[in-house]
Each structure stands twice: as structure tokens, then as C-alpha cells.
Amino acid sequence: MKYIKTAVYVFIFTSSFSLLSCADMLMGDEGKNDEEIYLNYKTKTVLELPFEDDWYIAAGGKSLEENHHFTPNRHQRYALDIVQVINNSVRTGDGTKNEDYYCFGKRLNAPGDGKIIAMENAIEDNVPGVKNTKQTLGNYIVIDHLNGEYSFMLHFKKNSIIVAVGDNVVRGQQVGLAGNSGYSTAPHLHYHLQTTPSLATGIGIPMQFVNYYTNDVFTERREPLTGQTVSKN
């Protein structure tokens, strides 16, 4: 795995991903004390990275400086936006087609054991640079981990989700393919963990993943941060 320097992160955001944002999708900040309660939260679910190979954390962390999701979205305060980077770029060609982006159509897995309680699979993928403001989640799944934690995975490729509501899933099981549906301007995976299955009432909580590599260094349990390249053990 190649280490991606800060300069590359700046390049990614100022070129192909300057508009990639889930941050202003839905609602304002209703929980001023949420970070005091959940900032040091320890994830109950055993989570592993929900993909194969090397992926790059385009947004993640516990502050607005690190993570554009931190405000104003209470439910996705610690959310991750994740892409693939090859030769210091998120794409090949001119980036006008979803297929130009390295992560488009790549396998995505359940991050932890649980039950599928909500999903959408029929939303068209966006043309890069254009976002769907009416169907903001795009194609998505919600996993109930049966312990008060709920995983949200957003922006799947149309008709790529291979699980159904009511299915039990296990950590590492394939659930679909990365896409560019919903409030997204380029292919990526949005992932966050929250306290209820409802975007209206859920509060985003930190996510510690187990047994993965961060910039080639093995990590037993940690939260991925903006600018890191990560891969499963």
C-alpha cells in the first residue's frame, strides 16, 4: 500500500472531489451536547472496513477541521467519505463518466453482524458533478447491529445491492457495489454509525474498526481519519 501525503489529499479535494459532500444533506445541528456525550464513545459492534484493497479516507475524524460531516448533521457527525486513489488520483480519464473513478463498481461489505432493516436499490447513478437533491441517500442500506448501533452505507451503484430487508448479514459479507447515487457528485462510499434507525432522531457516534492497516502500519482498533490510506488485515 502506498502512503498518500497531505499534498495528495489537497489535490483530491481541489480537483475531482471539491464538491463531494454529504454534509448539507438533511438537517441542522440539534444536539449541542452530543460531542460531550459521544466524543469518547467506544463502539459495541465489532467492525471491519467494509471494502477490499486500499481505500482513502477523504473525510473522517472528530472535528470540523478534519471532517466536513461534523456539523450541521447530528446523525452523521463522525461519518466517513471513502474513495480509492491510484497514482495520486481518484480517477482516470477526464472524470466525466462514473466508470472513470477507481472505486465505482467495487465490492462493498457489511462492516459488522446484524440485520438489514431498510434499503433502496433503484436510484439512478448521477453524472459526475451533478447531485440528486431529491433522493439524498441514493441507494443505501441500514444495518441494525442489535445493540443500539445502526450502520448506514450510502450511494451504492443502482441495482447492485444483493441483500434484502429482513436478511441477516455477517461481517465481511458482500452487500453491493460502490456507486454515485443520491447527494453525491462523484463515486464514493459514505458510511456512518448512529444511535437509532431514524435520521430524524439518530445521533452519530464514533466508529472504531479492528485489525486493519493505516498507511502500511497495522492497527488493532482505531478510527480512520482524513488523509489516511487504509486496508483490511
Side-chain angles (χ1 to χ4, degrees):
M1 177 176 23
K2 180 179 286 187
Y3 175 75
I4 306 296
K5 296 182 178 178
T6 301
V8 176
Y9 165 64
V10 173
F11 167 77
I12 292 170
F13 257 74
T14 56
S15 56
S16 300
F17 272 81
S18 60
L19 295 178
L20 189 162
S21 174
C22 306
D24 53 350
M25 279 172 43
L26 291 171
M27 62 191 67
D29 187 354
E30 301 172 358
K32 295 181 180 180
N33 296 320
D34 290 350
E35 52 266 41
E36 295 180 11
I37 300 170
Y38 294 106
L39 190 64
N40 296 311
Y41 182 86
K42 303 301 181 185
T43 310
K44 300 173 186 175
T45 308
V46 178
L47 296 175
E48 70 174 33
L49 296 174
F51 41 73
E52 309 294 321
D53 305 317
D54 296 354
W55 286 62
Y56 179 80
I57 307 300
K62 291 183 174 180
S63 70
L64 181 59
E65 290 74 22
E66 293 176 299
N67 190 348
H68 64 82
H69 298 104
F70 198 78
T71 185
N73 296 291
R74 188 184 188 194
H75 58 285
Q76 54 177 283
R77 191 176 295 273
Y78 305 102
L80 302 173
D81 283 340
I82 318 171
V83 299
Q84 283 194 306
V85 174
I86 298 176
N87 295 327
N88 297 345
S89 179
V90 297
R91 59 174 172 80
T92 186
D94 60 10
T96 58
K97 302 186 300 295
N98 286 315
E99 291 77 11
D100 291 342
Y101 292 80
Y102 296 120
C103 71
F104 186 72
K106 292 297 179 68
R107 169 177 172 161
L108 297 177
N109 304 326
D113 298 348
K115 184 175 184 177
I116 305 296
I117 59 169
M119 63 169 289
E120 174 60 66
N121 202 21
I123 305 300
E124 296 289 342
D125 286 283
N126 302 324
V127 174
V130 179
K131 55 197 173 189
N132 183 340
T133 59
K134 295 182 179 179
Q135 299 160 310
T136 53
L137 302 185
N139 302 307
Y140 71 93
I141 64 172
V142 179
I143 304 174
D144 180 355
H145 295 296
L146 307 177
N147 57 11
E149 297 178 346
Y150 299 82
S151 282
F152 282 67
M153 300 177 70
L154 313 184
H155 311 313
F156 283 89
K157 183 180 179 181
K158 181 183 179 182
N159 292 331
S160 74
I161 297 174
I162 58 174
V163 293
V165 172
D167 285 355
N168 292 312
V169 294
V170 297
R171 185 173 66 253
Q173 175 183 337
Q174 182 175 354
V175 292
L177 303 176
N180 185 29
S181 59
Y183 200 94
S184 169
T185 56
H188 72 291
L189 168 65
H190 169 105
Y191 173 73
H192 74 269
L193 198 67
Q194 63 178 61
T195 56
T196 78
S198 166
L199 293 177
T201 62
I203 299 173
I205 49 181
M207 305 153 287
Q208 294 97 42
F209 295 87
V210 301
N211 298 333
Y212 69 98
Y213 285 87
T214 302
N215 300 335
D216 286 330
V217 177
F218 180 70
T219 301
E220 288 189 4
R221 180 182 170 96
R222 193 170 298 173
E223 298 161 24
L225 302 175
T226 296
Q228 293 179 339
T229 298
V230 296
S231 64
K232 287 196 300 188
N233 182 15

